[in-house]
Amino acid sequence: MMIRLTRVAAIVPLLVSIMVPPVATATGTGTVFDHGVIDAAAVFIGNEILVFGGVVGPGLAASDAITHFSLEDQSLSTDRVHLPSPRAEVAAVQLDGTRIAIVGGVNGSDLVDDVSVFDVYNDTIRHVATLPHGIADASVASSKGKL
């Protein structure tokens, strides 16, 4: 099965597709990677690529999943922690060696105004800011641990 990521964080600019075995991993709002995912954000950290949200399944619903793709053993797993809300066209960037900022997105016709930080090693996500208005299909960058 081919997974096509159409929105990829700047940290993984050459990632176009990943060949993985079929996996049926249920999330709070749908199934990730058993039907593919588009409009997700991806960030390389450690020996993994983390995929945030996206549009999944035959119903093309926004997902709240945080999915780990291990470069070491080519396996997929879905994190027990989910994004605060389902979203596609989300932006994500590594802040440092342990934290990833997740910014905006779209859920149906609603733009998301949330900025959250996912701590990879503590497996937590927390809201850190509310944008003045929702934003989707954006690019984000970080320097010295800040957006």
Side-chain angles (χ1 to χ4, degrees), residues 36-90:
V37 59
I38 60 173
D39 291 336
V43 174
F44 174 75
I45 189 166
N47 68 342
E48 295 184 313
I49 297 171
L50 277 69
V51 180
F52 298 90
V55 176
V56 297
L60 299 178
S63 172
D64 63 354
I66 300 172
T67 304
H68 300 252
F69 177 72
S70 170
L71 297 173
E72 186 174 312
D73 62 11
Q74 304 274 304
S75 66
L76 282 174
S77 62
T78 301
D79 205 279
R80 66 173 183 79
V81 176
H82 294 275
L83 297 173
S85 64
R87 57 191 76 186
E89 299 181 14
V90 60

